[in-house]
Amino acid sequence: FLSLVAEFCCGFFVILILGNFWFLAVLYLLWLYLDWETPCAGGRRSQWVRSWTVWKYFREYFPIQLIKTSELNPNHNYLLGFHPHGVLVAGAFGNFCTDPTFKNLFPGLTPYLHIMPIWFGCPFFREYIMSAGMVSASKESVSYVLNNEGGGHASVIVIGGAEESLNAHPGSLTLNILKRKGFIKMALKHGAHLVPVFSFGENELFKQVANPKGSWLRNVQEKLQKIMGFALPLFHARGVFQYSFGLIPYRQPIHTVVGSPIPVKQNLNPTTEEIDQLHALYLQKLKKLFEEHKSNYGIPEHKSLIFE
């Protein structure tokens, strides 16, 4: 969905350049230059955009539901690790980039969804995603959010990233997380409490062409991902008037469960051992969260998370 909107915005920008409105394109390029750092400085959210009626229908389509399991004290800053990535990341967008779900459950907290910096180079599209509360996933951006002295900020990071989207098959419980420890280091440096979040149903929205590890398709996808910075899963779902084929996601319920916070004491220079210890604790809490709730959302008892 984001890719389609980005393509439309880029196409519109090209039309301005080639048409009689090239001066508008020049003015926008000047604005882009002056505003380049904003996605790393908290963005520019718009309550009006986040409250559009279309987001209500978006959430109800699946439907998307946010489940609270513990209080999050707004006097602290938090780093929420979102799992899994899926193809669409619908749970992350629906719960953290639209109102009023999150603010009703966690009053006093402002969520910031961190996404790949490449998206903020797209003309006009960058304004739209910032207005929804999305910011860059760069270290500078995460630091800006978590540096809020009074607390009340929540960085939401999709830990598995683009690479994990290649595992987004219905029934898949594989998470790319064993080597991803940058978020742990950021939490320690800023004393941000860690919160595991698991979105049940995220991988059920699309069917993806079989791409087991080692296959020619997976090899090509991984090479392209390293070159471009984002993955290209080959997926399909339903159409507008039929359920056999199309690009509209299936109507499968998404339950995004927010776990209990892991208290983190600020450590400006954490050692590798300290990072590894907190990472192991995070994995333990994430697995516990999944095990405690999986039976509520149709996951067989014998299935568990797989960490890669």
Side-chain angles (χ1 to χ4, degrees):
F1 175 73
L2 287 179
S3 297
L4 291 175
V5 178
E7 289 175 8
F8 173 81
C9 291
C10 288
F12 179 70
F13 184 71
V14 171
I15 291 174
L16 287 181
I17 294 175
L18 298 179
N20 295 324
F21 302 97
W22 59 267
F23 61 95
L24 293 178
V26 172
L27 288 176
Y28 183 81
L29 286 175
L30 176 61
W31 162 256
L32 192 62
Y33 172 77
L34 297 173
D35 194 58
W36 190 255
E37 297 299 324
T38 301
C40 294
R44 187 170 45 247
R45 69 178 55 220
S46 164
Q47 194 62 38
W48 175 65
V49 173
R50 289 172 60 87
S51 302
W52 281 353
T53 303
V54 67
W55 303 136
K56 174 178 179 290
Y57 293 119
F58 174 81
R59 293 192 301 268
E60 292 177 350
Y61 171 81
F62 297 98
I64 297 173
Q65 184 177 0
L66 189 66
I67 292 90
K68 175 181 178 180
T69 64
S70 178
E71 294 292 338
L72 297 183
N73 188 334
N75 294 325
H76 298 296
N77 293 317
Y78 298 88
L79 195 159
L80 278 62
F82 184 92
H83 313 269
H85 185 287
V87 171
L88 189 62
V89 205
F93 179 82
N95 287 310
F96 304 118
C97 294
T98 70
D99 285 331
T101 306
F102 185 85
K103 70 177 183 181
N104 285 348
L105 288 179
F106 301 101
L109 281 182
T110 302
Y112 294 82
L113 179 60
H114 295 270
I115 64 175
M116 290 185 298
I118 189 175
W119 292 114
F120 296 97
C122 179
F124 301 116
F125 180 67
R126 69 189 297 275
E127 319 304 334
Y128 160 68
I129 56 180
M130 278 197 290
S131 67
M134 293 182 233
V135 292
S136 172
S138 67
K139 292 180 181 179
E140 296 78 12
S141 177
V142 177
S143 291
Y144 184 93
V145 173
L146 297 181
N147 264 338
N148 193 43
E149 291 185 3
H153 281 189
S155 280
V156 183
I157 301 178
V158 184
I159 305 299
E163 183 182 358
E164 193 173 86
S165 67
L166 300 178
N167 290 327
H169 296 271
S172 174
L173 296 173
T174 300
L175 303 180
N176 292 69
I177 192 172
L178 292 181
K179 296 181 180 179
R180 296 179 181 266
K181 301 179 182 180
F183 73 103
I184 298 293
K185 189 174 182 179
M186 293 300 292
L188 282 166
K189 282 191 170 185
H190 298 284
H193 295 350
L194 281 167
V195 182
V197 178
F198 194 88
S199 195
F200 291 89
E202 199 74 45
N203 284 339
E204 318 305 315
L205 305 185
F206 296 92
K207 292 179 181 178
Q208 192 172 166
V209 175
N211 60 342
K213 289 203 169 183
S215 65
W216 70 269
L217 176 57
R218 186 60 168 259
N219 290 336
V220 170
Q221 288 175 320
E222 290 176 346
K223 288 179 181 178
L224 289 175
Q225 189 261 323
K226 289 179 181 179
I227 295 172
M228 299 184 297
F230 56 91
L232 293 173
L234 298 179
F235 59 89
H236 65 88
R238 54 162 292 186
V240 178
F241 302 110
Q242 44 77 29
Y243 284 80
S244 57
F245 189 82
L247 295 179
I248 298 176
Y250 293 115
R251 298 192 70 177
Q252 296 290 338
I254 298 172
H255 297 91
T256 303
V257 184
V258 180
S260 301
I262 303 170
V264 177
K265 185 177 180 180
Q266 187 174 24
N267 184 346
L268 295 177
N269 296 292
T271 64
T272 301
E273 182 180 358
E274 289 169 332
I275 293 172
D276 289 344
Q277 287 178 350
L278 185 55
H279 187 261
L281 177 60
Y282 179 86
L283 293 183
Q284 177 186 331
K285 295 295 185 180
L286 174 60
K287 186 172 184 180
K288 181 182 178 182
L289 177 70
F290 174 81
E291 292 294 332
E292 288 178 347
H293 294 273
K294 67 180 184 181
S295 61
N296 297 331
Y297 307 116
I299 307 295
E301 186 63 32
H302 67 278
K303 287 201 168 187
S304 298
L305 293 179
I306 300 172
F307 297 143
E308 288 187 346

